[in-house]
Amino acid sequence: MTPDHNDLWFLPLGGTGEIGMNLNLYGHDGQWLMVDCGVTFPKPGRIAADGTVHHRGEPPVQMADPAFIADRREQLAGLVITHAHEDHVGAVPYLWPMLQCPVYTSRFTAEILRRKLAEFDLLHRVPIIEVNTGEEGEERQIGPFNVQWLALTHSIPDPNALMIRTPLGNIFHSGDWKLDDQPLVGHGYSPGTFTDLAEEGVAAMVCDSTNATVKGHSLSEAALHKGLLDAVRSAEGRVVVTCFGSNIARLHTLAGIARETGRYMGLLGRSLINMSGAAKAAGIWDRADELINPSHLGYLPREEVLAVATGSQGEPRTALRRLSMGSHPDFELEAGDTVIFSARAIPGNEEAIEALISRLKELGVRVITAEDAGVPIHASGHPAQEELETMYRWVKPNLAIPVHGEMEHMETNADIARACGVPRTLVGRDGDLFMIRPVPGIRRQVVETGRLGWEKRELVRVY
């Protein structure tokens, strides 16, 4: 299981056959490159890549078991983080002591990572190399891999695809992405970046499959302004908007709506406050978007309050959950207030979200969800079918390897690739060895995979 100079391999240990805890390895000439190192938050009933089902009582934070590469860490050239979502960066503080390698990432992602490492007393131990992720796309030689960062758009600042070049061939690793012509915050993308890759030649494209079953084209962040403005403007009492804390563009939109409607905006929840702080430190927070101390929200007239809260997935101990229970220290929700869900349910969270909505309605709170809003109030960060078709036609890979999805999503992604003229597709799951060179193919389950959980301040094997 050590690639020689004639081999070019892809080996996922997490995130292929499931959504979450992404951990990918590329092998060539005696060394490995790791791309992403994320966590997942298990929910009872959610299916893992090997077909096992999450059950109650599991550790609340889980990640891919890195035993394969930890046993070979002298062969690990480096770790590249494509963006700052938890399922791509969240496991670094837990797993880095097993890996002991340099970490390459963008400025914003580095800000998020440093805050995580500080909590584990690792801040000054982990070598973090910041790369320029603008339109030019910085290149770095990491062992035998030449890695170029390519600007794309997603639901968080500074997401990047990667062009991984080797003497045997090039791999385009999409990361999480969408084609958003008005992302509002951070860099955009250029079609020429990807059509140029086709001219150079792409041996394999490893591609996000999350929304492969969704027809059409994902909405732009800019398209949400009207729907959110209408919802806030029609509210009479306090307004609480819940969304994913990493979506700085959504916060930018809401801050503008607060100004338009004469409300003061404050953030409720540690992850929201942390992300906005990182955005300010990275220079991507609009200076016009002023926030007030959340402890002041309870003293304002109800019609002047716009709070943004964590908890869109019904998670325990989040700000919205505490508001629904009347236990938040900053203010209490009252009849006539409005809660807006500017997010959709992650599969497996439906029951928790329904219970949360029921509690809010019992308080007399008006609830607006993305599903029942008349106009869009949420946009996905992943490509729908038209975007996948566009990217395959731009990049023209010889081989498509769908990842970041359950089997249904990955098989649909493969169907789209074939319909776009990609000569070959390979669909597998964690632990499968995808051989790109010398001859494309899959060796099934050649590496034992599993999940580790963080429980009582130590890592334990979940399965």
Side-chain angles (χ1 to χ4, degrees):
M1 286 301 295
T2 298
D4 66 22
H5 66 283
N6 295 313
D7 295 318
L8 181 56
W9 294 345
F10 171 63
L11 174 61
L13 301 184
T16 297
E18 62 200 347
I19 296 175
M21 66 177 200
N22 298 279
L23 197 161
N24 305 290
L25 294 170
Y26 291 96
H28 171 60
D29 199 12
Q31 294 190 61
W32 296 90
L33 176 73
M34 183 182 291
V35 176
D36 290 330
C37 185
V39 298
T40 189
F41 304 99
K43 295 290 180 182
R46 186 178 294 166
I47 300 173
D50 69 346
T52 60
V53 179
H54 291 277
H55 57 78
R56 296 189 185 280
E58 290 185 7
V61 178
Q62 296 179 17
M63 62 216 77
D65 186 344
F68 170 83
I69 192 62
D71 291 343
R72 299 164 174 80
R73 72 182 186 190
E74 72 282 355
Q75 300 175 9
L76 182 58
L79 165 59
V80 176
I81 304 296
T82 59
H83 65 285
H85 275 143
E86 286 293 302
D87 60 334
H88 292 258
V89 71
V92 176
Y94 304 100
L95 301 183
W96 187 86
M98 303 182 197
L99 306 173
Q100 304 277 317
C101 66
V103 180
Y104 300 80
T105 195
S106 68
R107 183 181 177 187
F108 175 75
T109 305
E111 285 290 339
I112 295 296
L113 179 56
R114 289 190 184 99
R115 292 160 191 250
K116 293 178 179 297
L117 293 171
E119 297 178 15
F120 287 75
D121 296 324
L122 290 172
L123 181 57
H124 300 295
R125 289 183 57 197
V126 179
I128 300 175
I129 296 95
E130 290 186 22
V131 296
N132 176 16
T133 59
E135 282 191 22
E136 294 300 319
E138 184 173 346
E139 295 183 33
R140 293 273 180 155
Q141 191 69 34
I142 307 174
F145 306 93
N146 178 274
V147 182
Q148 183 180 12
W149 280 256
L150 305 174
L152 261 177
T153 49
H154 185 39
S155 54
I156 195 169
D158 282 359
N160 294 275
L162 306 172
M163 184 65 156
I164 303 170
R165 297 180 174 92
T166 74
L168 293 183
N170 304 324
I171 300 170
F172 173 66
H173 182 100
S174 78
D176 287 5
W177 63 284
K178 64 188 289 188
L179 296 179
D180 190 342
D181 292 333
Q182 293 181 286
L184 300 183
V185 172
H187 57 57
Y189 72 94
S190 169
T193 297
F194 305 101
T195 55
D196 287 350
L197 301 184
E199 293 295 321
E200 182 179 350
V202 176
M205 175 170 159
V206 177
C207 184
D208 176 8
S209 306
T210 309
N211 277 354
T213 59
V214 178
K215 295 180 179 179
H217 193 292
S218 66
L219 283 172
S220 169
E221 277 295 321
L224 307 183
H225 179 270
K226 182 181 185 304
L228 288 168
L229 176 62
D230 290 348
V232 174
R233 186 171 275 161
S234 66
E236 297 179 356
R238 298 183 187 88
V239 174
V240 177
V241 180
T242 184
C243 62
F244 295 112
S246 58
N247 197 327
I248 302 300
R250 196 75 47 87
L251 298 184
H252 170 76
T253 296
L254 291 169
I257 288 171
R259 292 193 297 273
E260 290 179 72
T261 56
R263 293 178 181 263
Y264 295 93
M265 183 167 128
L267 305 181
L268 304 178
R270 183 182 177 190
S271 65
L272 276 166
I273 294 169
N274 190 41
M275 283 286 179
S276 65
K280 292 173 184 175
I284 53 175
W285 184 269
D286 191 327
R287 291 182 179 273
D289 293 346
E290 296 184 4
L291 303 171
I292 69 166
N293 190 313
S295 64
H296 298 167
L297 292 171
Y299 299 98
L300 291 170
R302 292 169 62 199
E303 66 275 9
E304 294 182 7
V305 172
L306 174 55
V308 185
T310 57
S312 66
Q313 301 302 303
E315 310 99 306
R317 298 184 297 278
T318 54
L320 185 57
R321 181 79 166 266
R322 296 174 73 187
L323 285 169
S324 75
M325 304 296 289
S327 60
H328 199 282
D330 292 330
F331 65 87
E332 292 186 8
L333 287 170
E334 302 176 51
D337 290 343
T338 297
V339 171
I340 301 169
F341 282 76
S342 184
R344 291 191 183 275
I346 295 173
N349 294 341
E350 294 87 353
E351 185 178 332
I353 295 170
E354 284 302 317
L356 174 60
I357 290 174
S358 294
R359 280 195 298 275
L360 292 169
K361 289 182 175 178
E362 287 171 5
L363 295 174
V365 171
R366 175 188 176 213
V367 176
I368 301 173
T369 67
E371 289 76 15
D372 60 26
V375 287
I377 60 172
H378 173 65
S380 173
H382 299 274
Q385 292 179 358
E386 288 182 6
E387 289 150 286
L388 288 169
E389 292 168 0
T390 297
M391 188 62 77
Y392 280 123
R393 291 190 171 114
W394 282 348
V395 175
K396 300 186 188 316
N398 293 322
L399 171 67
I401 303 176
V403 296
H404 203 297
E406 296 174 351
M407 193 55 65
E408 177 189 10
H409 307 110
M410 296 191 301
E411 288 177 344
T412 303
N413 190 339
D415 290 341
I416 293 169
R418 286 190 290 269
C420 292
V422 178
R424 185 164 184 180
T425 63
L426 296 176
V427 179
R429 63 180 176 88
D430 299 340
D432 291 345
L433 180 65
F434 296 77
M435 297 171 291
I436 300 167
R437 293 283 192 270
V439 179
I442 298 181
R443 290 174 57 195
R444 303 284 182 184
Q445 296 302 287
V446 299
V447 170
E448 183 180 356
T449 59
R451 295 197 304 268
L452 300 180
W454 184 250
E455 193 168 48
K456 298 178 181 178
R457 299 196 64 78
E458 66 177 3
L459 286 171
V460 297
R461 188 168 176 85
V462 179
Y463 78 85

